[in-house]
Amino acid sequence: MARVRSHWAWGYEDKFPRDETRAAVAERLAAVFGKLPAGRPLPSLDAAQMPEPRYSPPVELRSMGTTDRHARAVHTYGRGYRDLVRGFNGDFSAAPDWVFYPSEEAHLTALFRFCEKESIAFIPFGGGTSVVGGTEFSANGRFRGTASVDLSKMDKVLDVDMTSRAARIQGGASGPRISEQLNKHGLSLRHFPQSYELSTLGGWIATRAGGHYATLYTHIDDFVESVRMVTPAGVFETRRLPSSGAGPSPERFVLGSEGAFGIITEAWVRVQSRPRWRASASVHFTRFEDAVVAARMLSQSGLFPSNCRLLDPGEAMLHQVATDGTSVLLIAFESADHPVEPWMERALSIATDLGGDGDEPKYTTDVVNSIAPRASSIPAPPMSSAHPPPIDHDIDDAASWKQAFLDAPYLQSALVSLGVVCDTFETACTWDRFAALHEAVTKATDAAMKEACGGGILTCRFTHVYSDGPAPYYTFVAPGRPGAELEQWAKIKAAASDALIANGGTITHHHAVGRLHRPWWEQERSPLFEHALSAAKDKLDPSGILNPGCLLPSKP
Ligand SMILES: Cc1cc2nc3c(=O)[nH]c(=O)nc-3n(C[C@H](O)[C@H](O)[C@H](O)COP(=O)(O)OP(=O)(O)OC[C@H]3O[C@@H](n4cnc5c(N)ncnc54)[C@H](O)[C@@H]3O)c2cc1C
């Protein structure tokens, strides 16, 4: 039976935390914040408020679309904190009038022509996991309606080039769909954002998503060999090349385009043999500052660990990795080609020389290597029973961290149902600026939580590290006042974002710009760059129907 997506929360209805779990979470939080509001009943779709559809598409488009209430609710928002709260409250005032499910490029072209003619906003929808309002649009002004265009029917691995180790994959393929199909070839994309369960290749490319690798292949950018984007003005396709110095990179133009320039229907991506040798270890530091230096030294060592995730004491506690007030550096290496002990030993010696206390590292070796890729075509070899499981889903070897990481999105929805204000924000900055940025962000966020909520908890981890700087990721959790949660959240979000920009950070390392981050991105980028982007948009989308207001201001 097909699993049903929650109309308001993260993920699937069958995985939403049970009442007992929600009660246990409430009890834990009550111990920190004092009394918490009791869990409210979960919302029903029947109570959802949404306007009637405002237009009726021609018959040839109707067969690929729907006005079903559940579909419209699922496609109204992404899955950021604001989205969850509005969904929980039954506010679906921004629901798209129609949801369309194209299965080929010709369908997209037909939808472009209809939307241009009828002044309908065309909103590309991958997995709908945006946390920045990337898939949300309230039609007004020159738009008389909204079409959410869900790409989930374009979800195939179309081609595998075993020689160059690359695969051609459709833009609507979700993380599990990609793994399922590539694993048959003994291959893996090895791009695992936390939203992997639902998010899609097209969405990753459109938002320059960050995966689980802490170094080297951090963004999806590093895996993209070429892309195909269908625009109202025609097809924009780039040549398959390992690299090129011919002018500005056309792939880089599509990466981060956030559905404002066209629909990414396909991409050739670099894939890998599934790793056979793995090593993981954790190193505890009494002082966070020493752990930061260790992370920097590792990022500059040339060892390129697959994981180099630094958790501050609050983060380590939250994920049950350490409860003794230490900061923890999780280190991992993986390879499909060779044992990784020497790399781990050197990494541990760097970290322990800086005052860290390292656990005994864990080494594992798969009995059968996934494949030594030689052949050059589909179909894949049959799966043997010795093959690894079909969903290649390993984030790292620190088991409790991994489980907490994957469950976190469900937990956030549960917290929303308990009236808690809880969100994450992330950035990147150079190492020389990190201490000042961290101090300023902590101060500003703590002050805003105190003012808006009477207090709260802020934690920090590094998700990615570069030789010239880290990507810090912050989580805040604070008690909400019933009915005022969105206002409280907005104050905290604004204070944190202002501090990021004022202290040399970026408004986002991998959560994208969307509509939510645009005011801060505008402070970060040069005005001339915006003019150049707007000119490009005018060329590709002359009527301005594509995702208006996302990335760039909507055309008047
Ligand atoms: C719980 C949670 C965890 C997350 N973890 C991570 C993480 O680890 N790393 C990370 O980078 N992000 C993360 N995100 C953010 C989000 O998952 C990413 O931005 C992701 O790349 C979005 O993919 P999607 O398929 O869901 O796209 P959507 O949310 O559907 O769309 C995102 C944007 O891309 C556009 N778009 C989507 N598909 C296409 C297409 N085929 N062509 C053109 N435009 C398109 C949309 O119009 C929109 O502007 C997380 C979000 C949540 C809620």
Side-chain angles (χ1 to χ4, degrees):
M1 209 170 70
R3 297 176 74 195
V4 179
R5 265 185 81 164
S6 166
H7 75 279
W8 71 275
W10 170 262
Y12 296 100
E13 285 182 354
D14 58 80
K15 271 183 79 179
F16 190 81
R18 293 163 187 274
D19 288 351
E20 308 88 82
T21 314
R22 290 200 299 142
V25 172
E27 237 169 71
R28 273 180 66 189
L29 280 170
V32 183
F33 296 139
K35 199 170 165 359
L36 271 182
R40 296 167 287 175
L42 297 180
S44 76
L45 180 61
D46 291 342
Q49 300 283 323
M50 66 177 75
E52 288 302 308
R54 288 161 291 189
Y55 64 87
S56 177
V59 73
E60 64 276 15
L61 294 183
R62 252 181 253 171
S63 57
M64 65 165 122
T66 180
T67 54
D68 169 73
R69 275 171 66 79
H70 180 264
R72 290 177 68 208
V74 167
H75 291 79
T76 304
Y77 301 123
R79 285 297 179 266
Y81 174 75
R82 278 186 316 163
D83 307 325
L84 299 174
V85 173
R86 287 179 295 178
F88 187 87
N89 292 341
D91 169 10
F92 291 91
S93 48
D97 301 273
W98 278 75
V99 179
F100 294 97
Y101 297 89
S103 55
E104 53 184 79
E105 290 183 355
H107 294 164
L108 293 172
T109 310
L111 281 165
F112 288 149
R113 297 293 89 92
F114 166 69
C115 290
E116 283 173 329
K117 185 161 163 270
E118 299 294 333
S119 290
I120 307 292
F122 181 122
I123 314 296
F125 187 100
T129 66
S130 171
V131 287
V132 292
T135 54
E136 168 192 346
F137 183 67
S138 285
N140 51 35
R142 71 190 180 91
F143 291 104
R144 63 183 200 90
T146 307
S148 178
V149 181
D150 181 314
L151 297 150
S152 56
K153 287 200 169 160
M154 301 174 82
D155 68 343
K156 315 270 177 320
V157 170
L158 299 171
D159 227 334
V160 174
D161 171 352
M162 288 292 212
T163 309
S164 321
R165 268 233 305 235
R168 182 161 69 101
I169 304 177
Q170 288 186 304
S174 66
R177 281 291 290 146
I178 294 172
S179 292
E180 200 178 293
Q181 296 174 79
L182 283 181
N183 284 185
K184 292 181 189 159
H185 301 268
L187 296 171
S188 168
L189 178 56
R190 302 204 68 61
H191 179 77
F192 301 116
Q194 193 176 33
S195 54
Y196 164 90
E197 188 179 10
L198 299 173
S199 56
T200 62
L201 178 64
W204 298 339
I205 295 173
T207 59
R208 302 185 61 196
H212 76 300
Y213 279 127
T215 66
L216 219 52
Y217 309 102
T218 56
H219 284 103
I220 189 71
D221 310 26
D222 304 315
F223 296 110
V224 173
E225 188 182 78
S226 75
V227 285
R228 183 175 167 89
M229 180 168 79
V230 179
T231 80
V235 174
F236 181 117
E237 189 164 15
T238 73
R239 180 176 288 216
R240 277 192 68 198
L241 290 168
S243 183
S244 165
S249 157
E251 293 81 30
R252 292 260 163 191
F253 174 76
V254 175
L255 281 154
S257 54
E258 302 200 18
F261 296 166
I263 313 304
I264 298 152
T265 54
E266 289 177 15
W268 274 97
V269 288
R270 303 180 176 103
V271 292
Q272 307 174 54
S273 296
R274 298 182 62 208
R276 184 175 169 197
W277 286 273
R278 298 166 204 261
S280 66
S282 45
V283 185
H284 295 242
F285 290 84
T286 313
R287 284 166 23 101
F288 179 63
E289 296 76 6
D290 295 338
V292 171
V293 177
R296 174 164 66 80
M297 298 307 279
L298 279 177
S299 74
Q300 295 170 344
S301 66
L303 291 166
F304 300 117
S306 54
N307 194 4
C308 182
R309 198 176 287 263
L310 170 57
L311 316 181
D312 80 355
E315 190 76 22
M317 190 118 59
L318 211 62
H319 292 99
Q320 291 160 30
V321 172
T323 50
D324 57 359
T326 53
S327 298
V328 183
L329 188 57
L330 300 173
I331 307 173
F333 290 90
E334 62 174 46
S335 171
D337 179 72
H338 49 260
V340 288
E341 276 92 338
W343 281 262
M344 179 54 93
E345 279 164 21
R346 177 65 195 131
L348 284 177
S349 97
I350 292 173
T352 49
D353 281 356
L354 288 161
D357 183 11
D359 290 349
E360 200 51 42
K362 288 196 198 78
Y363 296 105
T364 56
T365 309
D366 285 356
V367 181
V368 176
N369 195 357
S370 11
I371 258 184
R374 283 207 181 83
S376 61
S377 64
I378 292 178
M383 300 263 283
S384 85
S385 58
H387 253 283
I391 304 291
D392 185 8
H393 205 169
D394 40 305
I395 304 294
D396 61 46
D397 291 330
S400 54
W401 159 260
K402 173 175 152 183
Q403 200 48 51
F405 181 75
L406 293 173
D407 290 345
Y410 286 98
L411 180 66
Q412 189 194 16
S413 298
L415 288 174
V416 166
S417 75
L418 294 167
V420 176
V421 178
C422 52
D423 200 5
T424 61
F425 60 91
E426 37 80 66
T427 187
C429 66
T430 48
W431 287 113
D432 64 309
R433 288 178 158 165
F434 172 69
L437 176 137
H438 182 60
E439 193 186 335
V441 167
T442 305
K443 216 165 138 189
T445 313
D446 280 344
M449 282 196 292
K450 189 148 187 25
E451 193 196 323
C453 307
I457 299 169
L458 179 72
T459 65
C460 174
R461 65 180 190 251
F462 290 173
T463 53
H464 304 83
V465 288
Y466 302 89
S467 62
D468 53 346
Y473 184 105
Y474 295 89
T475 301
F476 60 86
V477 183
R481 268 195 319 281
E485 294 96 336
L486 286 178
E487 210 181 296
Q488 292 174 294
W489 165 85
K491 283 192 179 138
I492 303 167
K493 175 75 182 169
S497 303
D498 288 346
L500 291 179
I501 296 298
N503 288 278
T506 170
I507 188 60
T508 176
H509 169 267
H510 59 263
H511 279 171
V513 174
R515 294 174 175 83
L516 179 63
H517 284 158
R518 228 184 67 209
W520 291 281
W521 190 48
E522 282 167 3
Q523 298 173 47
E524 188 180 325
R525 72 186 183 201
S526 129
L528 205 49
F529 183 56
E530 179 182 328
H531 294 326
L533 278 185
S534 298
K537 178 163 168 81
D538 282 348
K539 204 75 193 165
L540 298 172
D541 174 25
S543 311
I545 51 163
L546 277 176
N547 223 356
C550 183
L551 202 64
L552 292 165
S554 176
K555 255 180 154 179

